[in-house]
Every structure is written in structure tokens, then in C-alpha cells.
Amino acid sequence: MAQRMISYADYLQLLPKTELHCHFVSTMSAALFVELAAKHGVDLPSSDPATLFDFDDLVDFLVAFRYAHDVIRDPDDFERVAYDGVRSAVADGNLRYREYYVNPQYFAERGLSYTQVIDPIITGLERAERDFGVGFRIVVAINRRESGDAAVELVRQILAHPRRAVVGLGQDDLTPENTEDPTRFADAYRLAAAHGLLLTAHVGETDAASPAAVREAIEVLGCHRLDHGYRIVDDPEVVALARGRGIRFTVTPVSTTICSGWTLDPAHRIRRMIDAGLAVAVSTDDAMFFRTDLGREYREGLLAMGVDAETAKRIALDGIDAAFCDDEQKRMLRADFTAQFLALDALLER
Ligand SMILES: [Zn+2]
């Protein structure tokens, strides 16, 4: 009997995927967000996700991002968010491995210590790994609203409480001036690098940012990969620098559209990054807030930018190469992805 063929959109949805750039609270479902808010008596502006997640720009979104941290309080809350987020991403986009940006500084404002945040997340993700076979690592995120000294203190917390799953340092939010300003956190990155943590940073994200921030994240912070980085295409010298250093980028097509105002088409900056020979890995960034998921980022995002099947597979593999896990885990992921590619290629309508 002939096998049923699949459309290119379905092919993109079914491709095996890693996700390297998602903020932990944003992997929560809207339903769980509303449920946890009710549990802890947190007033939300609305219980309707369409109203709750209606943003004008990045700054407007970040207000909602901050208060989402307020609904996750007990170990059980952290574990549920962690576990449910993996289950839904497997169903929505064939997730096989994920890295989470966790910001302990937001939770510290609500009286939780570093380990009270990190440990129940690890417990939930380990349970999900056993049930769904999805490996994970954690990248601790500096809250850019805090000072450079506070970021150094955060790195000291990471070093004082070593956990096998915690492998990197990154960032979220914006500075109080609503800028990226990577060099503000240079001391924290230097300390992290000296102790073997892997480094990433959010830079060049919107028209308010600059390609110079991308250069600073590479040359001053010593980042191993970068998040967003879209403004890089406005400076060919920085493109050459990133390519020369083997810097890979996590990009978030559908999510970025909502805050940048950029249209997803073949002239999009992400497509221009691909055409310039930069390695990109696709992620959701803030799935709940932008009402997206990993499958949609591929199915709608890559399709709208005119990315072909060979390039889509390379992007999926770039998501393994850019990961902060060990080489053995990468080897197993590549074998898994290659086998799934073969099966999917045979089903794709040409
Ligand atoms: Zn992000």
C-alpha cells in the first residue's frame, strides 16, 4: 500500500527539533498561567489569552513577562510548568532537546533563593526526560534591569551551587533605559568564563538595537552563541566576524514579528542571515506570550521566508551544533535526526 504523502508545511512541523532559546516562564501554557494565578491570588488583567497577551512592542511585552514570574511560587508549580512545557512541545513540534533561560533574580524579588528556583525546575525536567526522551540544559539569565554587580553576584550563586544541568549564562529583559548594553555585564561574563560556563546574550534584537551590540557580545563578553542578533545584517564586518568565529544564532521568527513589526517574507533579516552563511537555530523565545509554538516557528516562519527543505534540515542540525550539551548527547541527537529526516524525506510531496 502506498504511504500517505505530506505537504511541506507538515514536513516542517514534523521535523525533529531542538530549542535553545526559550525563557522558562514562557513555556507555561496560558491555561496553567491562569490556573496558577488563581491559586496564588494574583490578579490578572484578563483570563482571556487573546487580551492577556496583546502587546504593542517589546517594552509592553516585558511588563507581562515580569508578572508571569509571580504565579510560580511552590516547588510543585515549578515542576508542573517544567513537565507540561516539554509534553506540549513534543506534541506541537517534535521537540527532542531543549535549553531554558531561567532568571532567578525575578524570583528573588518574591523571596525565593537560587536553589529554590533551580532545583524543582530540574526535578520537573528530569521527569519529562524520562517520560518523553527530551534532554535539557539550563542557562541562567541575567536580568538586565539589575546592575552589573548584581549580575556578578548571580554568577557567584551559580558557582556556589553547581548542578550538572546548569551549563551557561545568558540574559533577559532590557536595562532600565530599555537598551541592550552588553558591556554593562562584562564582569559577570568574565567570571562565568573563568569557571567554564558557556556564554550567550540577547543582542541586535529590534530596530532600537544596533549591530555594534552584536560585536560587543562577541569581542567583549566572549559569547559562544548569540540570541536574535538580527541587526548584524546591517554591518557586513560584524557578519564576517561572527562567521569567522563560528558564532551561531538562536532566531525566533514568529515571536520576533510581534515585537519588531518586521514582516515574515524572503527579505526578512533571518533569511538574510541564512543567505550570508550564518548558522541559525529556530526557537520560540516566549511561546505563551506570543501565542506560538515550536512547530509553528518552522511551519509558518520558515515557510514564509521561503526556506527550502535542505536548509530547514540544516537549521535543525545547527540547533544541535549550537547546543551547550556534551558531545555524546549531540552525537545521539544527530543520529536520531538523520534517521527521522530520511523517513520524512520519503513522505514529502515533491
Ligand atoms: Zn529571549
Side-chain angles (χ1 to χ4, degrees):
M1 193 174 76
Q3 279 188 299
R4 189 189 167 122
M5 304 301 276
I6 56 174
S7 69
Y8 185 47
D10 288 343
Y11 176 90
L12 291 171
Q13 173 113 17
L14 292 167
L15 276 180
K17 302 172 185 71
T18 71
E19 170 155 64
L20 305 181
H21 177 173
C22 61
H23 299 272
F24 176 71
V25 296
S26 308
T27 66
M28 188 163 39
S29 69
L32 184 55
F33 182 35
V34 171
E35 182 191 326
L36 292 176
K39 172 182 170 184
H40 296 299
V42 176
D43 275 335
L44 298 180
S46 164
S47 59
D48 173 10
T51 314
L52 202 51
F53 305 131
D54 183 18
F55 310 112
D56 294 332
D57 55 27
L58 184 58
V59 173
D60 189 32
F61 150 69
L62 286 168
V63 175
F65 182 68
R66 279 171 218 134
Y67 71 63
H69 288 74
D70 197 22
V71 309
I72 308 171
R73 299 185 183 187
D74 308 334
D76 184 58
D77 302 340
F78 284 100
E79 286 182 36
R80 273 187 75 190
V81 171
Y83 185 88
D84 285 2
V86 177
R87 179 170 53 193
S88 59
V90 169
D92 295 336
N94 195 9
L95 176 72
R96 305 309 305 145
Y97 170 85
R98 200 184 229 178
E99 290 177 8
Y100 296 81
Y101 294 162
V102 179
N103 176 334
Q105 290 169 302
Y106 282 129
F107 294 108
E109 290 170 20
R110 323 210 188 276
L112 296 177
S113 71
Y114 174 78
T115 54
Q116 283 175 319
V117 172
I118 294 294
D119 288 343
I121 293 175
I122 292 174
T123 302
L125 293 176
E126 285 178 341
R127 188 155 61 87
E129 182 169 19
R130 286 194 294 276
D131 288 357
F132 306 112
V134 175
F136 72 95
R137 294 291 189 278
I138 289 172
V139 173
V140 174
I142 292 170
N143 180 353
R144 287 186 290 196
R145 299 192 76 73
E146 303 283 341
S147 67
D149 287 346
V152 170
E153 178 51 36
L154 179 64
V155 176
R156 291 204 180 105
Q157 287 286 316
I158 302 170
L159 300 175
H161 305 283
R163 299 289 185 270
R164 192 193 67 87
V166 177
V167 294
L169 184 71
Q171 335 175 318
D172 63 18
D173 214 315
L174 287 169
T175 70
E177 301 82 31
N178 291 324
T179 61
E180 294 178 338
D181 197 6
T183 57
R184 184 174 300 197
F185 307 104
D187 289 344
Y189 276 73
R190 203 172 299 122
L191 180 62
H195 290 84
L197 289 171
L198 296 167
L199 307 175
T200 184
H202 283 52
V203 280
E205 182 172 355
T206 67
D207 282 328
S210 92
V214 180
R215 178 188 287 280
E216 288 169 351
I218 297 170
E219 292 188 331
V220 180
L221 299 188
C223 285
H224 300 94
R225 73 174 189 229
L226 293 173
D227 302 304
H228 304 301
Y230 314 124
R231 292 297 312 278
I232 194 171
V233 295
D234 299 319
D235 188 336
E237 283 186 16
V238 187
V239 170
L241 173 71
R243 227 172 22 211
R245 299 267 184 106
I247 302 288
R248 300 181 179 90
F249 294 80
T250 68
V251 300
T252 65
V254 175
S255 279
T256 292
T257 300
I258 293 162
C259 280
S260 68
W262 299 335
T263 307
L264 266 179
D265 61 24
H268 194 280
R269 278 181 166 76
I270 294 172
R271 173 65 193 269
R272 285 154 61 196
M273 290 168 78
I274 296 167
D275 292 346
L278 296 171
V280 304
V282 170
S283 293
T284 60
D285 202 356
D286 296 290
M288 173 177 72
F289 298 100
F290 299 141
R291 284 169 281 160
T292 184
D293 60 58
L294 193 53
R296 186 177 170 206
E297 294 291 340
Y298 274 70
R299 185 184 73 236
E300 292 183 21
L302 295 189
L303 200 60
M305 291 187 292
V307 171
D308 65 21
E310 291 309 309
T311 308
K313 285 186 284 186
R314 200 185 72 223
I315 288 170
L317 293 172
D318 283 337
I320 299 173
D321 295 339
F324 284 171
C325 61
D326 53 80
D327 289 344
E328 174 60 12
Q329 188 148 12
K330 290 187 182 186
R331 192 191 60 74
M332 288 192 300
L333 284 166
R334 281 191 203 100
D336 173 24
F337 279 34
T338 305
Q340 293 198 48
F341 290 166
L342 272 174
L344 287 167
D345 282 345
L347 291 175
L348 179 61
E349 283 172 355
R350 303 278 180 179

